[in-house]
Structure formats: structure tokens, C-alpha cells
Amino acid sequence: MSGHAPPEVVCLGESMVTFLPSRPGRLADVPSFTRAIGGAESNVACALAAAGHRTRWIGRVGHDGFGDHLVETIGGYGVDVTAVGRDPHRPTGVYFRTDEDRATDAHEVVYYRAGSAASAMSPATVPYDSVAGARVLHLTGITAALSADCLDLVRDLTAPRPGRPLVSFDVNHRPGLWRDGSAPEVLLELARRADLVFVGADEAKALWGLKGSRAVTELIDGPETVVLKLGKGGAEVIDRRPESFAGIEDFADIEDADGVSHLVRPPRVDVVSAVGAGDAFAAGFLSATLRDLDMRTRLRHGHLMAAAALTAPGDLARPPRRAHADRLAALDTDAWGTLHLGPGWTGHDEERPDRTGDDQEVRTP
């Protein structure tokens, strides 16, 4: 990334060093681990940089080797890391996890993040100038849960002000981080202050007891655009500006007082690893947003970026080349409906035959 051109996207949040087990089993029984990194916002930054966008990640790490590893690894994806803070008094957060599927009771995750450098982010340690000039500022609910100072920072960055970047907010509800029960109120407040919101249907139900896009957009009534993620059912975009759908002729949309709604189902995917698909989807949608593509195409690019993560070990798989993704996103409705993607579909496997799961990057649970 050029040191002179301002970033198109700034992604702000915690990234941690994670230790991946050398074999399945309980943490107590695993003899060794492989070091990697994990962080929702840095995942989005890396994916956008790989897709050709000028991207900056802002976080805070310790003056330690783990902090060096995070900064070097994220910077290695082409992300600008010049605004990352180094804390001389607090360590870089780390965590360990088992190899089992997260959906099973056997899956274990142990965090060592209390008092971390990232938890000390605040309006005092992250000046607004570091995000000014970007077209998009991407945040998540994870940062707001780390500490009172971090919540103050997210509130400061989402406050209305002249020239504010488009604020993208992924709800990213992590129940284990909200032990005081304030998640429904705080995450709704922050979502309403954003311009673009990503929220899973499961999150909307768990947080606010909501079901369906109309109920979600009636409650989250501030943003112009809400993307409701439906898992295998696809993703639905609800936009309050009908003109955002101009030029799309071959779909049935639903228009009401809350805006225009459009659902795009994902292609069929042979899943290798389910980790990181949500972050990748957000990156794909944001990439298409930066290019001013129509809403259906934004959803399709989100699905394609997610498919790149799903069909490779870890969650920082290289996305398809832009021309390849554009061709697929432009398929007619019938062809999109029969699209089937498996490992290697992005065309990068032959370029890095030595890449294995050992260097995978994982999303912070």
C-alpha cells in the first residue's frame, strides 16, 4: 500500500495471537501448538488488501514478540499498519483452542486477553485523525465489549461529524464478552449509529428476539443499509434508497416503508473449514461497495469471498482475482443458481503448493 494515498478502508479492532493444536484432543492432552493470528477486523482488512484495496488496520499490541508477529503478519498481506499502537505496559492478547468443531461440546477455547493492550484502546490512544480521509470505517461489536474505554472509542468513532467515513458495523455478538448483560442495549445503540450494518439472523433473535428482515430494520432504524445473514439460506440486503437497486431487472424485490429488500442465496460450496466466512463475506460486500456496484452484486461478491474462506484451511484464504469474481457475480439468475465451488476454485492453489493448514489464520471466537 502506498504510504501517500489515504486508505480506502480502515478496520479497527483487536487481533490476538492464537495457538492451534498439533492434533485433536483436549487442551490438557495436546503436546504442542502452532502459532497464528486471529481477529475479525484484521481479517476483513487482510481480505480487502488481497482484493486490491488500500486498507489500514488499527489496533493496539504490546511491546513484545507476539505484538511484533501480529504487526508483521497483517502488514505482510499489504495492510497499512502504521497506526497500530504499541503499549509498553500491557501484553498482546493470546488464546488457545482445540481442533474440534466449534459446534460440539468437545471444542475448547481459553483466552489470555484480560488487561491486554487492545483493551486499553480509547479516544485518547486512537486519535480520530487515524481514520479521517477513509471512505469506509469498519468496526465490530467485539471491540465495544473489551472495556469501558473501548466502548467510549467506538461511540466516539460512530458519532455524527462532518466528513465521517461510511461506518460499517458488524454486530459480531460474542456472548462470553458481555457478562453484564448489556449486549442487547449497547449493540443496538451502535448499530443505529452506523451507515451499514451486518447482522446474523441468529444474532438478531438471540439479542432482540427478532425474526425476519422487516422486524430487524424496524428496530435498527438508523442505517441506510442492513445486511441480514441467513447462514445457508443466503443473505438479504435491505436498503432505504430504492435507487440503489437501479438497473437490476431480473429479480423480485419487496418494497415497503422500510426500504427495498433483496435476497441472494449462496452458491453451493464444498466446505473445507467454516472458520472466517462471516468476515470474508463482509470484506466481499465492502469491496463491491467501494466499487459502487449494485446491491445484488454486492451480495454476490460477499458470497464469493466467503466461499474462498470456506474452501480453504483457515479464514484468510486469498480471494479470487477481481476479473474472475466479476464474471461469476455477473452470471444470470439460472447460472448463479447452479454454481458449485470447491477447493482450488479461486485459482491460487497452484501458486502456493506448499501452503498447508499449519499457517492458517483463525477468527477470534
Side-chain angles (χ1 to χ4, degrees), residues 173 178 181-189 206-208:
H173 179 220
W178 296 93
S182 64
E185 176 184 354
V186 173
L187 292 174
L188 177 58
E189 171 201 344
L207 283 166
W208 307 301

Short mmCIF file of all heavy atoms in Angstrom, two decimals, residues 173 178 181-189 206-208:
data_model
loop_
_atom_site.label_atom_id
_atom_site.label_comp_id
_atom_site.label_asym_id
_atom_site.label_seq_id
_atom_site.Cartn_x
_atom_site.Cartn_y
_atom_site.Cartn_z
N HIS A 173 -21.83 -10.56 17.73
CA HIS A 173 -22.16 -10.78 19.15
C HIS A 173 -21.38 -11.96 19.70
O HIS A 173 -21.49 -13.07 19.22
CB HIS A 173 -23.66 -11.04 19.29
CG HIS A 173 -24.09 -11.30 20.70
ND1 HIS A 173 -25.02 -12.26 21.03
CD2 HIS A 173 -23.72 -10.71 21.86
CE1 HIS A 173 -25.21 -12.27 22.34
NE2 HIS A 173 -24.44 -11.33 22.87
N TRP A 178 -19.88 -10.37 27.15
CA TRP A 178 -20.90 -9.45 27.68
C TRP A 178 -21.50 -10.03 28.96
O TRP A 178 -22.70 -10.30 29.06
CB TRP A 178 -22.00 -9.22 26.65
CG TRP A 178 -21.53 -8.53 25.41
CD1 TRP A 178 -21.10 -9.11 24.26
CD2 TRP A 178 -21.44 -7.12 25.19
NE1 TRP A 178 -20.75 -8.18 23.33
CE2 TRP A 178 -20.95 -6.94 23.87
CE3 TRP A 178 -21.73 -6.00 25.97
CZ2 TRP A 178 -20.74 -5.67 23.33
CZ3 TRP A 178 -21.53 -4.74 25.43
CH2 TRP A 178 -21.05 -4.58 24.12
N GLY A 181 -24.66 -8.40 30.79
CA GLY A 181 -25.99 -8.42 30.20
C GLY A 181 -26.36 -7.19 29.39
O GLY A 181 -27.51 -7.02 29.00
N SER A 182 -25.38 -6.33 29.10
CA SER A 182 -25.69 -5.08 28.39
C SER A 182 -25.65 -5.19 26.88
O SER A 182 -25.90 -4.20 26.18
CB SER A 182 -24.70 -3.99 28.84
OG SER A 182 -23.37 -4.32 28.45
N ALA A 183 -25.34 -6.37 26.35
CA ALA A 183 -25.17 -6.51 24.90
C ALA A 183 -26.36 -6.03 24.09
O ALA A 183 -26.18 -5.29 23.10
CB ALA A 183 -24.83 -7.96 24.56
N PRO A 184 -27.60 -6.44 24.39
CA PRO A 184 -28.72 -6.00 23.55
C PRO A 184 -28.81 -4.49 23.42
O PRO A 184 -28.98 -3.95 22.32
CB PRO A 184 -29.94 -6.59 24.26
CG PRO A 184 -29.42 -7.79 24.98
CD PRO A 184 -28.05 -7.38 25.44
N GLU A 185 -28.68 -3.79 24.54
CA GLU A 185 -28.81 -2.34 24.53
C GLU A 185 -27.63 -1.67 23.82
O GLU A 185 -27.82 -0.80 22.95
CB GLU A 185 -28.89 -1.82 25.97
CG GLU A 185 -28.94 -0.31 26.09
CD GLU A 185 -28.93 0.16 27.54
OE1 GLU A 185 -29.00 -0.69 28.44
OE2 GLU A 185 -28.85 1.38 27.75
N VAL A 186 -26.41 -2.07 24.14
CA VAL A 186 -25.23 -1.41 23.59
C VAL A 186 -25.09 -1.69 22.09
O VAL A 186 -24.82 -0.78 21.30
CB VAL A 186 -23.96 -1.84 24.34
CG1 VAL A 186 -22.71 -1.29 23.66
CG2 VAL A 186 -24.01 -1.37 25.79
N LEU A 187 -25.27 -2.95 21.69
CA LEU A 187 -25.10 -3.28 20.28
C LEU A 187 -26.19 -2.64 19.42
O LEU A 187 -25.92 -2.25 18.27
CB LEU A 187 -25.09 -4.79 20.10
CG LEU A 187 -23.85 -5.49 20.69
CD1 LEU A 187 -23.98 -7.00 20.59
CD2 LEU A 187 -22.57 -5.02 20.00
N LEU A 188 -27.39 -2.50 19.95
CA LEU A 188 -28.43 -1.79 19.21
C LEU A 188 -28.08 -0.32 19.07
O LEU A 188 -28.23 0.27 17.98
CB LEU A 188 -29.78 -1.94 19.92
CG LEU A 188 -30.95 -1.19 19.28
CD1 LEU A 188 -31.17 -1.63 17.83
CD2 LEU A 188 -32.22 -1.38 20.10
N GLU A 189 -27.59 0.29 20.14
CA GLU A 189 -27.17 1.70 20.07
C GLU A 189 -26.13 1.91 18.98
O GLU A 189 -26.24 2.83 18.16
CB GLU A 189 -26.60 2.12 21.42
CG GLU A 189 -25.94 3.50 21.41
CD GLU A 189 -24.96 3.70 22.56
OE1 GLU A 189 -24.99 2.93 23.54
OE2 GLU A 189 -24.14 4.64 22.46
N ALA A 206 -31.21 -13.88 19.14
CA ALA A 206 -30.66 -14.01 20.49
C ALA A 206 -30.61 -12.69 21.23
O ALA A 206 -30.87 -12.63 22.44
CB ALA A 206 -29.26 -14.62 20.41
N LEU A 207 -30.28 -11.61 20.52
CA LEU A 207 -30.13 -10.31 21.17
C LEU A 207 -31.46 -9.62 21.43
O LEU A 207 -31.69 -9.08 22.51
CB LEU A 207 -29.27 -9.39 20.29
CG LEU A 207 -27.76 -9.63 20.31
CD1 LEU A 207 -27.10 -8.89 19.16
CD2 LEU A 207 -27.15 -9.19 21.64
N TRP A 208 -32.32 -9.63 20.42
CA TRP A 208 -33.52 -8.79 20.50
C TRP A 208 -34.83 -9.56 20.28
O TRP A 208 -35.89 -8.96 20.24
CB TRP A 208 -33.42 -7.66 19.47
CG TRP A 208 -32.14 -6.89 19.58
CD1 TRP A 208 -31.69 -6.21 20.68
CD2 TRP A 208 -31.13 -6.73 18.57
NE1 TRP A 208 -30.48 -5.63 20.42
CE2 TRP A 208 -30.10 -5.93 19.13
CE3 TRP A 208 -31.00 -7.15 17.25
CZ2 TRP A 208 -28.96 -5.57 18.42
CZ3 TRP A 208 -29.87 -6.81 16.54
CH2 TRP A 208 -28.86 -6.02 17.12
#
